[in-house]
Amino acid sequence: MARLTLANFRTPLKILDAVFRDGEDLKFLDVPGFPPILFLRDPELIREITVETSNNGDFERDTLPTQGIGRVVGSQNLLYLQGADWKEHKAAAVRPLGTRAVQTVEVFHDLEQTIYRVTDARLEQIADLVRASPTGAIERSLEPDIQELMLNLLVHVLFGADVPDDELRDRYLPAIRGVIRYILLDTLLNQFHLPVLRLPALTPGHARIQRDWATFEELVDRVIAARDDGHGFWPYLTINASPEAIRSNVRVFLAGALEATSSYLSWILVNLARNPTARQRAYEDVSQLTCLSPQSRQQATYLHQVMSESLRLNNSLYFLPRIALREATVATSRGSLTIPAGTHLVLATWHMNRCEDHWGTSATGYPASEFIPERWNPENLARHGRSSKDNLHFGFGHGPRVCIGKHFSEAEAFVCLAMFLRRFDFEATGDVAADSGISTRPADQVRLTLRLRPDPAFTPRPAT
Ligand code: HEM
């Protein structure tokens, strides 16, 4: 078990490992002169607190741990706003990102077209490499491919912007990676809240950060320009927000969503690569589909269990930050807890999901630390007396501040996985450590052995 040292302040998951190392679900840290911090991994408490967040509840999202993100993306967005302003933004975002918009044949078709276009040339290159290999297999780290694809889907499908694939890959993706690296550094080191992006460049590294930022802003401009043309999901967005609020939200939707969606897909592949039975079942699930559509998505029940299990075991956002606005008492079946006003709360969902007491053999039939999609089989859950309330893994959050991009991300991941599983068999061995920054990612950069499947991949319908 990791120790709490200065070195692991750059790897927050290790700090949380140290916090929970004695097996307790609650840790209250009250150092004189500092605001109190409550670390908790009890599912009922996490559920109650997320439900009582915003909407006049006793808790609000705590912006302290993510202040570096706020300094970069601005504060006029769905992630940072509170009270009536947050409600207005949330209501506006529900139309474009809710199921009615995402669950249309057009959106699935757009996802399919974009994935096919972005990956096809690459897949052909990979296929050539595989064919040339005497073993019929090659090894490849897929993380860069996944990030490129996720950015492409956000820019083309969500925002309907016309940015060539090679510009996204060679110009904008490296700039966003630079901005995300800077956000982490700024959160850790910029305790005086200096406006680093606006100060004259003092070092070559500082100049590089400013160049990355300017390039990122250029992409934001291009994405916003698509609004006038009525492409992507823009027509659903009827709110009359200020230009700064639109910019700020687009920054969150580009950089934050890129991080989270890449993490989600990366972990699913990493987990499937190490589980031949699950991989085979997932393949059989998608090989029965004749097309990719909202209806076919409903049929792929095992793939859904794979997606839930992967997000449980390896959630992208590994804790949810909250602050108690006033003294609050939270009741659960095990008793009640009174939390002092001003307490910072770390809802440690990664650790809750891996805790044997909450997700282990006696609760779900399988060890908590293992990737077993069958855990989500409705009959298995019923056998263990679990209701939908017990099955929350908080991978997309819960309550009023639940993720607005959930439906889009699930549809996107389904189409990506179906296309990938049809084309490739893949495997990997050994444990993979989790890196943690803004989100978690497999430390091995999704290194897989790839082989081609004999049957044809989905061929998308012609563009409309
Ligand atoms: C698999 C991908 C994703 C994961 C795992 C994820 C995860 C989360 C989680 C856990 C939260 C709740 C945070 C909290 O309670 O403090 C959240 C909130 C949020 N997410 Fe996502 N997210 C994903 C994709 C996206 C996408 C694609 C978008 C935008 C298009 C997005 C935009 C947001 C926004 C704006 C919020 C704040 C909502 C509010 O406060 O009302 N996310 N996300």
Side-chain angles (χ1 to χ4, degrees):
M1 189 65 74
R3 282 169 175 278
L4 190 53
T5 67
L6 269 184
N8 58 36
F9 265 85
R10 276 166 167 272
T11 50
L13 270 179
K14 291 196 179 149
I15 300 179
L16 294 174
D17 286 345
V19 166
F20 294 110
R21 75 179 149 211
D22 64 3
E24 298 287 331
D25 283 347
L26 288 178
K27 274 283 141 79
F28 192 62
L29 191 67
D30 195 6
V31 178
F34 290 89
I37 307 179
L38 177 62
F39 296 89
L40 53 113
R41 63 165 192 190
D42 176 87
E44 273 191 79
L45 282 171
I46 294 181
R47 191 180 70 221
E48 293 307 310
I49 292 166
T50 47
V51 167
E52 286 304 319
T53 297
S54 303
N55 267 350
N56 302 322
D58 291 331
F59 303 94
E60 202 25 287
R61 178 176 292 134
D62 186 3
T63 52
L64 189 71
T66 54
Q67 50 181 302
I69 304 180
R71 276 196 287 276
V72 169
V73 300
S75 54
Q76 294 297 303
N77 59 63
L78 196 45
L79 196 62
Y80 277 86
L81 285 171
Q82 303 191 342
D85 291 336
W86 161 75
K87 253 190 176 165
E88 201 186 331
H89 278 235
K90 189 87 171 187
V94 163
R95 279 198 73 216
L97 288 163
T99 43
R100 277 185 53 201
V102 171
Q103 290 281 29
T104 59
V105 174
E106 289 76 28
V107 170
F108 275 72
H109 185 40
D110 279 1
L111 286 168
E112 197 180 340
Q113 290 281 343
T114 307
I115 295 166
Y116 196 78
R117 195 190 62 244
V118 176
T119 54
D120 197 44
R122 192 78 49 78
L123 291 186
E124 266 317 295
Q125 287 169 2
I126 299 174
D128 283 345
L129 294 174
V130 176
R131 282 181 208 113
S133 155
T135 59
I138 57 157
E139 259 197 57
R140 188 176 174 94
S141 295
L142 288 184
E143 191 182 69
D145 303 308
I146 292 172
Q147 289 181 348
E148 182 192 335
L149 182 59
M150 294 297 106
L151 182 61
N152 234 296
L153 292 169
L154 287 168
V155 168
H156 289 128
V157 180
L158 189 67
F159 292 116
D162 186 16
V163 184
D165 297 343
D166 55 348
E167 269 190 80
L168 280 178
R169 183 185 60 233
D170 302 332
R171 179 168 174 74
Y172 294 118
L173 186 57
I176 299 181
R177 282 206 211 101
V179 169
I180 290 171
R181 261 196 314 275
Y182 165 70
I183 286 175
L184 274 175
L185 272 179
D186 185 74
T187 305
L188 281 169
L189 303 176
N190 188 3
Q191 295 306 321
F192 297 109
H193 305 183
L194 294 174
V196 176
L197 293 170
R198 285 171 205 89
L199 293 173
L202 301 171
T203 63
H206 191 178
R208 199 181 51 244
I209 286 165
Q210 292 186 328
R211 270 199 310 277
D212 285 345
W213 169 250
T215 308
F216 179 46
E217 284 293 278
E218 190 185 288
L219 180 62
V220 172
D221 284 334
R222 293 179 78 168
V223 158
I224 292 175
R227 189 182 184 190
D228 294 337
D229 303 329
H231 291 152
F233 288 32
W234 284 114
Y236 292 98
L237 189 70
T238 48
I239 189 176
N240 230 351
S242 70
E244 182 42 38
I246 297 274
R247 283 195 87 74
S248 188
N249 277 299
V250 167
R251 289 183 194 124
V252 169
F253 283 23
L254 278 176
L258 173 67
E259 271 277 295
T261 52
S262 302
S263 159
Y264 185 38
L265 203 60
S266 295
W267 282 118
I268 297 173
L269 292 182
V270 160
N271 285 321
L272 281 178
R274 283 160 179 79
N275 289 273
T277 313
R279 193 165 66 246
Q280 180 60 23
R281 281 197 68 185
Y283 170 67
E284 283 164 13
D285 225 15
V286 299
S287 58
Q288 288 162 17
L289 305 179
T290 49
C291 70
L292 294 176
S293 66
Q295 289 72 30
S296 57
R297 189 175 151 206
Q298 302 310 318
Q299 292 161 25
T301 48
Y302 189 74
L303 192 56
H304 281 102
Q305 291 171 20
V306 164
M307 289 158 71
S308 298
E309 177 67 347
S310 186
L311 197 54
R312 175 195 72 82
L313 192 61
N314 300 111
N315 40 353
S316 314
L317 299 195
Y318 45 102
F319 75 96
L320 307 177
R322 293 293 183 268
I323 186 157
L325 299 174
R326 52 192 86 91
E327 184 177 282
T329 299
V330 186
T332 73
S333 59
R334 292 204 269 166
S336 62
L337 175 74
T338 298
I339 302 171
T343 302
H344 295 273
L345 291 101
V346 175
L347 311 184
T349 49
W350 176 282
H351 289 77
M352 180 208 93
N353 286 337
R354 290 167 165 255
C355 177
E356 190 60 23
D357 290 349
H358 307 316
W359 277 96
T361 308
S362 59
T364 67
Y366 302 101
S369 59
E370 287 179 24
F371 173 80
I372 302 182
E374 287 73 6
R375 189 189 312 270
W376 293 88
N377 186 319
E379 282 134 44
N380 176 57
L381 294 172
R383 226 178 1 259
H384 290 88
R386 286 177 77 95
S387 71
S388 56
K389 273 181 158 187
D390 306 314
N391 295 334
L392 300 170
H393 58 51
F394 303 96
F396 287 106
H398 185 60
R401 301 220 63 149
V402 70
C403 177
I404 195 72
K406 175 180 188 286
H407 303 296
F408 180 77
S409 306
E410 285 178 334
E412 176 187 80
F414 164 77
V415 178
C416 288
L417 286 167
M419 291 178 83
F420 190 81
L421 284 159
R422 284 285 284 255
R423 275 214 182 231
F424 285 111
D425 193 11
F426 53 98
E427 63 181 331
T429 50
D431 287 343
V432 181
D435 271 352
S436 50
I438 291 176
S439 54
T440 63
R441 52 194 278 269
D444 74 343
Q445 301 185 347
V446 198
R447 188 137 191 96
L448 307 180
T449 302
L450 298 170
R451 288 185 183 80
L452 287 175
R453 288 265 185 206
D455 58 334
F458 286 107
T459 310
R461 288 156 291 167
T464 43

